[in-house]
Amino acid sequence: MNRVAAAISGWACLLLAVAAPALAGDFAPAVDNYVGGDVMDVAAGDLNGDGRPDLATAVELLPTAATLLNTGGAFGRPSQWTASGRPYSVTIADLDDDGDADLALTNLDDGVSVRLNRGDGSFGKSAPHPAGLAPTDVKAGDLNGDGRLDLAVVDNGSASVSVLLGRGDGRFEPPLTAPAGGDYPQQLALADFNRDGRLDVAVTVANADALVVLMGHGDGHLSAPTYYYPPEFRGWSPIGVAAGDFNGDRLADVAVSTADRVWVWRGRGDGTLGSPSGAFSDPSGDLSGARDVAAADFNGDGRLDLAVANGGTNHLLSNVTVLHGRGDGTLDPPIAYHVPPTTDSPATREAGAGANSLAVGDYNGDGRPDLAVGHSIHNSDPGGIAVLLNSGGWQPGALPPAPDPPSPGPAPSPAPGPKPQPQPAPHSPAAPVARRHHGPWMPKLHRGGKHVRLHRHRHSAQRLARLRFRLHRG
């Protein structure tokens, strides 16, 4: 089984496709799938081995978790079970190396739970594993280079990041903990920011109003944090985060969602990030309450785009927006799609329940990346997952030529606090070989998305398409 990014929704733009005119992407009206409760997170992956991306959810208030099997662009009734604690995030990955996609969920009251797949889309008993307080995000990746998937967890309540090293059989070692760089960390993204072949961690930290990067040492330990701030609108808590190559230089960049904007930091390839560029996350420019961000090539031009789940204020302005990438790290203005379906006039901009989380996948098998949106209960709208199929004139296009590498420039000064630890020497002086489905900076890893309650957030990912445009689950 291919273990490349079952939950990373951005690297498919590195797959060279047949040259053809790229047309603007578009999405059909959302089709809602009832789950009940507040769907705080949704992840996509093939759970029953039929080649179609299925969905898994974390539903906080019930509290339950659920899976929905793909029937060919539509989804069956949810299979639900009572979860330990309050489930808040979920990721899909092969955690016991048997070729089947398993589940890892964070529980606000009870660490991380793992459910192993029986091979048919059903799951065994939940196995609890300790983490920090109130974990709100989890992603899977090989953080110590042993070929086994590990878990990286954001601990919202204890302001830390926990790394649980996998044993390869679905069990995990006790957590290795590193400071997250401030109170109320939200989500994390995994990528190799300094091209040493080791996974690093980018974290959004609400109370610090910062993006924080912790370099991986290659043994599961992480360095002290380095801080990055947007140039304006300080005070709006960052929530969603996604890594990907947004300017075509084959270096890992980072996208972050805040209350009303999306920011893209361009990676320099040495572990530092350049100055960010920003765009409003909603066409109105109002406070959209952006809670999650996901990256994929939605219009087939070979450049990474962004989708943003905007929860709105009191569920007003709740929508999903798509911002097409220009190939240089900047973004086109957002295009809004309302979810879940309501009878309200579009002019009222009342979409119903708040959008919390995103998962990208080719749900109907047409080769185009679609969106699944987890949303909350509001008035008569039950919580569920709204699916938006990509119905625009999407055609695969050739990648644009890579620009010259950016000049190093001065590195950002860390904010007051602990100084970053010296980095150990790389395992090898040679940069890792680039792979077709991820950049040279992206070793084996899996993604799961999330969203936060105390200071909102989420992110999620997946199998993106067949043939020319595909993300493989692990």
Side-chain angles (χ1 to χ4, degrees):
M1 171 176 295
N2 194 325
R3 307 179 75 190
V4 180
I8 292 281
S9 63
W11 321 124
C13 89
L14 294 174
L15 176 62
L16 292 177
V18 179
L23 304 178
D26 194 12
F27 289 86
V31 175
D32 207 22
N33 297 269
Y34 170 82
V35 176
D38 288 340
V39 178
M40 306 310 293
D41 192 25
V42 58
D46 184 5
L47 299 176
N48 60 353
D50 65 356
R52 300 167 176 167
D54 308 305
L55 297 175
T57 71
V59 186
E60 179 190 4
L61 295 181
L62 291 183
T64 64
T67 58
L68 293 82
L69 297 181
N70 190 334
T71 60
F75 292 86
R77 295 177 61 86
S79 174
Q80 294 181 301
W81 65 89
T82 301
S84 173
R86 290 179 290 159
Y88 213 80
S89 65
V90 60
T91 194
I92 297 175
D94 183 10
L95 301 176
D96 58 356
D97 206 23
D98 66 351
D100 299 316
D102 309 306
L103 302 178
L105 298 100
T106 64
N107 305 299
L108 291 181
D109 301 326
D110 193 26
V112 177
S113 62
V114 172
R115 294 178 70 96
L116 299 181
N117 195 329
R118 297 190 177 105
D120 58 359
S122 65
F123 296 85
K125 289 185 177 181
S126 176
H129 296 275
L133 297 177
T136 51
D137 195 11
V138 58
K139 294 182 175 69
D142 184 2
L143 287 124
N144 64 346
D146 65 355
R148 302 167 179 169
L149 284 180
D150 313 309
L151 296 176
V153 181
V154 171
D155 306 316
N156 184 274
S158 51
S160 59
V161 175
S162 295
V163 174
L164 286 69
L165 297 179
R167 299 176 178 175
D169 58 1
R171 296 179 297 168
F172 294 85
E173 301 292 345
L176 303 173
T177 303
D183 291 338
Y184 305 116
Q186 304 294 300
Q187 296 186 29
L188 65 83
L190 300 175
D192 183 4
F193 294 110
N194 60 353
R195 297 182 292 176
D196 66 353
R198 305 164 179 172
L199 282 180
D200 309 310
V201 180
V203 185
T204 50
V205 182
N207 270 22
D209 290 317
L211 168 67
V212 171
V213 175
L214 302 91
M215 308 308 295
H217 291 175
D219 58 0
H221 292 88
L222 302 173
S223 72
T226 300
Y227 300 78
Y228 298 88
Y229 302 97
E232 55 183 320
F233 289 94
R234 292 278 297 278
W236 300 116
S237 301
I239 297 178
V241 60
D245 180 12
F246 296 102
N247 61 346
D249 63 357
R250 304 185 72 81
L251 303 176
D253 310 315
V254 184
V256 172
S257 62
T258 62
D260 68 339
R261 297 198 180 196
V262 178
W263 299 94
V264 175
W265 274 266
R266 299 171 183 85
R268 296 188 176 110
D270 60 359
T272 65
L273 305 176
S275 299
S277 59
F280 284 109
S281 59
D282 182 85
S284 68
D286 294 330
L287 294 181
S288 55
R291 298 175 181 175
D292 193 19
V293 61
D297 182 4
F298 293 111
N299 62 350
D301 64 356
R303 301 163 178 168
L304 273 186
D305 312 310
L306 289 175
V308 184
N310 298 304
T313 303
N314 295 324
H315 301 302
L316 300 179
L317 303 176
S318 177
N319 57 28
V320 169
T321 51
V322 173
L323 297 86
H324 292 134
R326 296 170 178 168
D328 60 358
T330 63
L331 303 165
D332 285 338
I335 304 170
Y337 303 93
H338 295 280
V339 293
T342 69
T343 57
D344 295 331
S345 165
T348 66
R349 302 188 59 74
E350 296 184 30
N356 293 325
S357 56
L358 298 170
V360 179
D362 179 16
Y363 299 123
N364 60 353
D366 65 354
R368 304 169 179 175
D370 309 309
L371 286 170
V373 186
H375 62 82
S376 299
I377 297 173
H378 178 60
N379 294 335
S380 60
D381 291 313
I385 301 173
V387 174
L388 291 83
L389 298 179
N390 192 331
S391 62
W394 189 93
Q395 296 184 16
L399 284 175
D404 294 333
S407 58
S413 300
K419 295 183 179 179
Q421 301 173 3
Q423 297 297 314
H427 293 305
S428 168
V433 177
R435 294 178 170 86
R436 287 173 61 85
H437 295 282
H438 52 84
W441 31 262
M442 181 54 58
K444 296 177 181 178
L445 83 126
H446 291 234
R447 172 211 178 261
K450 325 325 126 184
H451 165 101
V452 178
R453 183 105 185 204
L454 301 179
H455 290 102
R456 289 278 201 191
H457 104 301
R458 175 272 180 237
H459 186 5
S460 251
Q462 350 308 359
R463 201 176 173 91
L464 269 178
R466 307 165 195 261
L467 301 176
R468 303 167 300 227
F469 188 88
R470 174 178 289 168
L471 285 181
H472 296 279
R473 71 173 176 85

